[in-house]
Amino acid sequence: MGSVFHSRSISFFLIALTSAFISTSTATGYTPVFQPSQWSLAHATFYGDETASATMGGACGYGNLFQNGYGTDTVALSTTLFNNGYACGSCYQIMCTQSPWCYKGVFATVAATNLCPPNWSEDSNNGGWCNPPRVHFDMSKPAFMKIAQWKAGIVPVMYRRVPCRRTDGLRFSFQGNGYWLLVYVMNVGGGGDIANMWVKGSKTGWISMSHNWGASYQAFATLGGQALSFKITSYTTKETIYAWNVAPANWNVGLTYKSNVNFH
């Protein structure tokens, strides 16, 4: 039931309000929302306590989940689902089934914010719940308690992917230095995930950013003193949005900037 904490958790957050607009990959301007997937079987456990403090700073790099739009309805994914971090931000509905501990007919909607690592010292069916190729959800305790009594420890579940409903725009948390920009993208709607990302300075063209880990992307470029814009493609829906002038020319690392755009 353990979790992995990202080594670059954000120490503090400053939200800078900016103006931006959305441009979708469709010619009509209509942004389709992907349909929920079919229900599938898996298992779920929980980690931490009722405060969900143990979920902060997970492997996706979202830092303080309360400040950045995720709250307590979160989950750590087994390696099979985590997809090397490309699943960060994806949303799931999870329903307890086939257990006397279940709360019948209810489900929790959670966002992936963390990795549940393998435990090779334990059998996959007896403690090593997140060992590949198992599909497993290690939920925050508040989320788990929506679907089952916490005393159960582990329960069979039905789950499906669903669109992420997010408000208040995308958030871009900056780390790095003058020659290396590392950006964590948070509060992503629609598919909730990111496949590709580009940055554009006010004096540059679009620069492709490579995937670092979790929900972070990096560019090895000198971008100081330039206003920054971003282009992002969803891993699930393949849609692309443009967030213009997210950070002003005097941007700095250690800060989080907000754009009013998001995937639908």
Side-chain angles (χ1 to χ4, degrees), residues 62 70 73-77 89-92 109-114 164 166:
Y62 293 144
Y70 298 97
D73 290 330
T74 62
V75 66
L77 302 179
S90 56
C91 295
Y92 301 84
T109 302
V110 294
T113 61
N114 208 350
C164 297
R166 299 287 175 214

Side-chain angles (χ1 to χ4, degrees), residues 153-261:
I154 181 170
V155 292
V157 296
M158 299 288 291
Y159 77 95
R160 64 176 180 173
R161 277 288 310 276
V162 294
C164 297
R165 309 295 184 185
R166 299 287 175 214
T167 60
D168 207 24
L170 295 175
R171 301 178 188 188
F172 299 81
S173 181
F174 287 14
Q175 297 293 301
N177 53 48
Y179 307 97
W180 170 58
L181 178 64
L182 181 69
V183 181
Y184 293 89
V185 187
M186 302 172 288
N187 202 44
V188 181
D193 47 24
I194 298 171
N196 301 105
M197 184 168 167
W198 297 260
V199 61
K200 183 184 184 306
S202 52
K203 301 176 183 178
T204 75
W206 287 107
I207 300 169
S208 179
M209 304 181 74
S210 59
H211 184 224
N212 183 281
W213 179 252
S216 68
Y217 283 75
Q218 61 190 357
F220 294 92
T222 304
L223 295 166
Q226 301 182 58
L228 301 183
S229 302
F230 295 94
K231 180 170 66 171
I232 303 170
T233 299
S234 167
Y235 191 94
T236 298
T237 68
K238 313 305 180 186
E239 295 168 284
T240 297
I241 58 173
Y242 293 80
W244 296 102
N245 300 317
V246 169
N250 63 345
W251 62 266
N252 210 336
V253 298
L255 305 183
T256 295
Y257 299 89
K258 188 172 74 173
S259 168
N260 61 8
V261 305

Side-chain angles (χ1 to χ4, degrees), residues 6-227:
H6 201 285
S7 61
R8 287 186 289 268
S9 296
I10 311 304
S11 58
F12 62 94
F13 295 83
L14 174 66
I15 303 297
L17 297 176
T18 64
S19 62
F21 69 85
I22 185 167
S23 174
T24 75
S25 57
T26 59
T28 63
Y30 168 70
T31 306
V33 175
F34 79 92
Q35 297 300 309
S37 68
Q38 298 296 313
W39 289 96
S40 301
L41 281 168
H43 284 80
T45 49
F46 68 87
Y47 68 112
D49 58 22
E50 287 84 352
T51 69
S53 59
T55 68
M56 300 297 119
C60 290
Y62 293 144
N64 188 311
L65 301 179
F66 296 109
Q67 292 181 5
N68 290 310
Y70 298 97
T72 62
D73 290 330
T74 62
V75 66
L77 302 179
S78 61
T79 304
T80 300
L81 288 173
F82 192 68
N83 193 22
N84 292 320
Y86 284 107
C88 284
S90 56
C91 295
Y92 301 84
Q93 286 179 343
I94 302 176
M95 179 186 299
C96 182
T97 185
Q98 300 175 9
S99 169
W101 301 102
C102 292
Y103 297 138
K104 296 182 178 179
V106 297
F107 58 77
T109 302
V110 294
T113 61
N114 208 350
L115 167 68
C116 181
N119 181 5
W120 298 115
S121 65
E122 301 289 346
D123 184 88
S124 295
N125 294 311
N126 186 24
W129 310 119
C130 292
N131 295 349
R134 285 180 61 98
V135 173
H136 189 84
F137 297 91
D138 201 10
M139 305 172 69
S140 71
K141 190 172 183 180
F144 185 88
M145 290 172 64
K146 290 182 177 181
I147 64 170
Q149 298 182 48
W150 67 268
K151 294 180 181 180
I154 181 170
V155 292
V157 296
M158 299 288 291
Y159 77 95
R160 64 176 180 173
R161 277 288 310 276
V162 294
C164 297
R165 309 295 184 185
R166 299 287 175 214
T167 60
D168 207 24
L170 295 175
R171 301 178 188 188
F172 299 81
S173 181
F174 287 14
Q175 297 293 301
N177 53 48
Y179 307 97
W180 170 58
L181 178 64
L182 181 69
V183 181
Y184 293 89
V185 187
M186 302 172 288
N187 202 44
V188 181
D193 47 24
I194 298 171
N196 301 105
M197 184 168 167
W198 297 260
V199 61
K200 183 184 184 306
S202 52
K203 301 176 183 178
T204 75
W206 287 107
I207 300 169
S208 179
M209 304 181 74
S210 59
H211 184 224
N212 183 281
W213 179 252
S216 68
Y217 283 75
Q218 61 190 357
F220 294 92
T222 304
L223 295 166
Q226 301 182 58

